Amino acid sequence: MEKKILLSICIPTYNRAAVLKMLVDELLTIQSDEVEFVISDNHSADATEVLMRSINDERLHYYRNDANLGPENIRVLLKASKQSKFCLLIRDKDMIPNIDDWFQKVKPLLELAEDTSLFRGGLLSPRGNRLVVVPRYKRTKNTAQCFIDVMNVGTYMTSIIFPRKTLENVFELAKSSAPYMWSLYGFINLMIWCVKWGDYIPMPELIVHMRTTKVFSDSANWGGIGSQDVPYWVVESRNKQNLDMVRMFKGLDLPNEILIPVMCNALIRQSRWVVNAFKAIHSNAIKKMVDVVQRERNRSTTFWHSVFWSGYEAMLKEINSLYGLSPVTSEVFSATMNYYRQLCELTEAKELNAAKTAAAKKS
């Protein structure tokens, strides 16, 4: 008979042997046999396998994939013990300070949790900035606000806790109903599907720290781009992601009163993202790493806005095509699109005026 496991801490990894070893050493300080650690290696070419196989702890389970599985490597969650009640997904480059204290604190919460399909903790950058801020209150499953909150906090693949039973149900259903589940950011899609099965509960007790940002440059090689042929932060890729999201939501079979606010929220949120992404590409936050970065830097803000605008038009057509929405519903989406266009035009006008002012000062 298999030993009961309360929590499986699951870590997909690729070519990050050094930071992974630090994380695993910290996790092993948990003083409990109700925890296990599951490492899924995307066929790393560095010392990952040697280091992991050198660790002598029966709670650690290391799996080496025959190839780089890309975003599908989050299926590491299903490699957890079948006796495990919950699975925590964490990135190899992160850390949980005072992990044993944290586990002892949340253990009774997990033991009593019922009708819950998702817990989400917060994430801090190496400088202590909050990158993921969880909502204050529990959200009821299968509601618009629940889906919106999940999408708003789903940016980073870390500090997410799933019940094992919910995962099995969703993965089974996704085989036929969600062909776009793994196109990109599969962990966000997985979270979205899970909250049809149970409530979403924020877990402020779980604060994960990003150990370093230096490993950003290998994110594409890790396989994070999925079905995209360009990095995830490029405009063409973002547009494809939006289309995949629309198709993925179709598999959820949501009523319009849930679908409309969720989709409109996604459109507005992405419209703000385009400005921030453009600024990030042109700042020191992203160094010269590959040719495609330089190409993005050579593009103007106006270009980015025009590409996004055409992408959202394609998204709106896809929504109407898949859902057969009524004229009233289409007007709601059109109003959202107009808001996005006005935001873009306002941003362009501000940047143009700023450029003129700067030029006038120089002259």
Side-chain angles (χ1 to χ4, degrees), residues 3-53:
K3 179 171 58 178
K4 281 196 173 183
I5 302 294
L6 178 62
L7 182 66
S8 297
I9 300 181
C10 303
I11 310 164
T13 189
Y14 179 68
N15 278 354
R16 291 176 181 164
V19 291
L20 175 65
K21 179 64 164 56
M22 285 190 281
L23 172 62
V24 170
D25 285 345
E26 292 161 359
L27 294 177
L28 292 176
T29 63
I30 296 179
Q31 302 298 308
S32 174
D33 59 0
E34 294 181 87
V35 181
E36 68 173 1
F37 315 102
V38 185
I39 314 294
S40 181
D41 180 4
N42 248 1
H43 205 72
S44 295
D46 61 4
T48 296
E49 182 175 15
V50 173
L51 288 175
M52 291 301 102
R53 296 198 186 282

Side-chain angles (χ1 to χ4, degrees), residues 155-192:
T155 313
Y156 293 92
M157 186 189 71
T158 198
S159 70
I160 312 167
I161 300 179
F162 306 90
R164 168 80 192 207
K165 177 186 276 188
T166 301
L167 287 172
E168 291 175 345
N169 290 334
V170 171
F171 275 109
E172 184 63 31
L173 189 63
K175 289 180 182 177
S176 57
S177 303
Y180 300 95
M181 175 77 86
W182 312 112
S183 62
L184 185 64
Y185 287 136
F187 55 94
I188 302 178
N189 298 336
L190 183 58
M191 293 167 66
I192 291 170

Side-chain angles (χ1 to χ4, degrees), residues 14 48 58 67 116 119 132 163 175 199 205 255 264 271 301 338 346:
Y14 179 68
T48 296
E58 63 179 12
T116 301
F119 293 91
V132 171
K175 289 180 182 177
D199 297 336
E205 299 87 354
C264 286
S271 69
T301 309
N338 286 332
L346 180 63

